[in-house]
Amino acid sequence: MTVTIPDGTPPRTEPVTMSATDPRRRDQASQWRLVWWRFRKHQLAMAGAIVLATVYLLAIFADFVAPSTLDQYDTRYTYAAPQTVHVYDDGDWGFYTHPYTMQRDPDTFEEKFAVDESTKIALGFFVHGKPYEMFGFIASDIHLFGPVHAGDPFYPLGANAQGQDVLSRVLHGARISMSIGLIGVLLSLLLGLLLGGISGYYGGAVDTVIQRVIEFLTSIPTIPLWMGLAAAVPPTWSSVQTYLAITVILSLLAWTDLARQVRGRFLAMRHEDFVTASILDGAGPMRVMWRHMLPSFTSHIIASVTLAVPAMILAETTLSFLGLGLQYPAVSWGVLLQEAQNLRAITTAPWLVLAPGIAVVVAVLSFNFVGDGLRDAADPYRQ
């Protein structure tokens, strides 16, 4: 826009800003910017993305965020009930909770935890607690939130059979449960793109062999196949080795759906004019597949991968719950659910099941919301 000034000063040109809804800006925007604009309008997808970002941050900094460490326990508080955190104290603002006291039921003579309202435990931020090493090399004893005086009992989500804080174990379990989905999907993505691309591009005998392998894998019942592969993991392996083995097992079983989708797209595009032009220009098969054909439906692949992550999380949780995946002392949401498989935990300590169960539900729903948002945003025919 040109502005003319009456005093004879030469006219100056001011930049014209355009909003995201301006047709001129939409015509000049890249594909990814258009996808982002459409994704922002999906409220559930944005909420899911915020929740997932929060969960991953909590998992990365679990040592600092958790009130206690994984090896911290107190058998005096076995199956202790969750403590309520109070904010307002006698006219002043401040965080505190009440400690436990043991009371004997006069009818059954069973000892139960009760709230001792005559005593208070002061709570605060950035308090000193049991030392830990963040990322394995940063030594510290500062915890985000907890009792001001180290050693006071603090179980916001209750305690397990060993007197360990359930909240801390859920936060540490998020590291494995949330990362195994990303790592597993990455491996299955590589297998799906490679085998599906080769199958769809070459066709013929190569396509027949790959499709028969896919049909064979998909015809086997999932849980028995998991059981057989998980049983092959030596029991003497460490938690890290078992974790890697479970990740590979899940990846070997999750690539078939993506491979079929990629094969269908490649079959539909291999006779397109831009593919023929690339071949006539001297491009090799790999360059044609990965530089010309694959980018044309990258947005679809991203949406499919996002929806596959929660399936990985549920698979790891199922294996660990059945006792075929990770085992103690490894900590994941599936391991926490497996530890709650006893009558006492179900009848008198339901928080042992609810805490990791709700975490799984929230993570899976968030991934599904984000996947739905990406699918709608990446649809080129959706306005």
Side-chain angles (χ1 to χ4, degrees):
M1 181 175 63
T2 303
V3 180
T4 304
I5 302 176
D7 59 1
T9 306
R12 67 177 185 271
T13 302
E14 296 181 352
V16 179
T17 59
M18 295 180 289
S19 63
T21 58
D22 194 309
R24 291 173 296 175
R25 188 179 180 188
R26 295 179 65 88
D27 292 340
Q28 300 172 7
S30 64
Q31 177 186 2
W32 296 111
R33 185 173 294 274
L34 293 174
V35 170
W36 166 243
W37 286 342
R38 288 193 290 262
F39 181 80
R40 283 189 314 186
K41 297 179 181 179
H42 200 297
Q43 297 181 354
L44 283 178
M46 288 298 297
I50 294 173
V51 171
L52 288 179
T54 303
V55 171
Y56 276 108
L57 285 176
L58 292 176
I60 292 172
F61 300 100
D63 296 304
F64 167 69
V65 177
S68 61
T69 59
L70 281 178
D71 58 351
Q72 187 174 348
Y73 67 94
D74 193 336
T75 55
R76 295 177 299 172
Y77 301 103
T78 297
Y79 292 118
Q83 293 173 290
T84 302
V85 177
H86 302 273
V87 180
Y88 193 70
D89 181 18
D90 297 334
D92 296 326
W93 293 99
F95 295 97
Y96 71 95
T97 187
H98 295 292
Y100 298 108
T101 182
M102 297 298 296
Q103 293 183 354
R104 188 179 298 276
D105 191 317
D107 297 326
T108 62
F109 299 100
E110 180 185 2
E111 290 187 344
K112 296 182 178 180
F113 289 100
V115 177
D116 183 9
E117 296 184 354
S118 62
T119 309
K120 298 177 181 178
I121 298 176
L123 304 175
F125 290 95
F126 305 104
V127 296
H128 293 274
K130 191 169 183 180
Y132 58 87
E133 289 187 355
M134 185 177 294
F135 310 124
F137 62 91
I138 302 177
S140 177
D141 65 346
I142 302 297
H143 296 264
L144 177 63
F145 187 75
V148 175
H149 302 288
D152 289 341
F154 182 55
Y155 301 101
L157 292 183
N160 63 3
Q162 289 77 35
Q164 297 173 306
D165 178 36
V166 174
L167 174 61
S168 300
R169 293 178 65 79
V170 170
L171 291 174
H172 284 91
R175 288 181 170 177
I176 290 181
S177 296
M178 297 298 288
S179 64
I180 202 170
L182 294 180
I183 298 175
V185 166
L186 178 61
L187 294 177
S188 63
L189 174 65
L190 296 177
L191 289 174
L193 292 179
L194 180 62
L195 297 179
I198 294 175
S199 178
Y201 183 81
Y202 289 101
V206 176
D207 180 36
T208 302
V209 172
I210 295 177
Q211 294 308 306
R212 297 297 83 77
V213 172
I214 293 177
E215 292 171 0
F216 173 75
L217 291 177
T218 55
S219 65
I220 302 176
T222 305
I223 293 181
L225 181 59
W226 283 348
M227 295 173 63
L229 294 175
V233 178
T236 57
W237 280 12
S238 64
S239 300
V240 176
Q241 292 174 320
T242 305
Y243 168 76
L244 294 176
I246 295 299
T247 303
V248 172
I249 290 173
L250 296 178
S251 303
L252 292 176
L253 302 177
W255 62 272
T256 53
D257 291 337
L258 181 60
R260 282 189 166 180
Q261 296 177 20
V262 174
R263 170 184 177 267
R265 291 300 186 101
F266 273 44
L267 285 174
M269 290 190 303
R270 64 179 182 174
H271 298 301
E272 293 287 341
D273 292 340
F274 73 94
V275 176
T276 303
S278 301
I279 297 174
L280 294 177
D281 194 41
M286 290 298 166
R287 183 177 179 84
V288 173
M289 285 191 290
W290 308 124
R291 293 294 301 274
H292 298 281
M293 300 177 70
L294 187 63
S296 62
F297 61 98
T298 303
S299 57
H300 173 77
I301 295 175
I302 293 176
S304 300
V305 168
T306 306
L307 293 173
V309 174
M312 285 283 187
I313 295 176
L314 291 175
E316 182 276 327
T317 304
T318 303
L319 281 177
S320 299
F321 176 75
L322 296 175
L324 302 172
L326 298 170
Q327 299 294 324
Y328 187 86
V331 180
S332 71
W333 291 339
V335 172
L336 296 181
L337 289 172
Q338 196 275 335
E339 291 177 354
Q341 290 187 74
N342 59 78
L343 183 60
R344 181 175 180 181
I346 296 175
T347 56
T348 64
W351 52 86
L352 295 180
V353 180
L354 291 177
I358 292 175
V360 172
V361 171
V362 170
V364 171
L365 284 178
S366 299
F367 269 114
N368 286 333
F369 290 154
V370 172
D372 289 340
L374 285 175
R375 181 188 58 197
D376 295 340
D379 186 0
Y381 301 102
R382 187 181 181 90
Q383 298 297 327

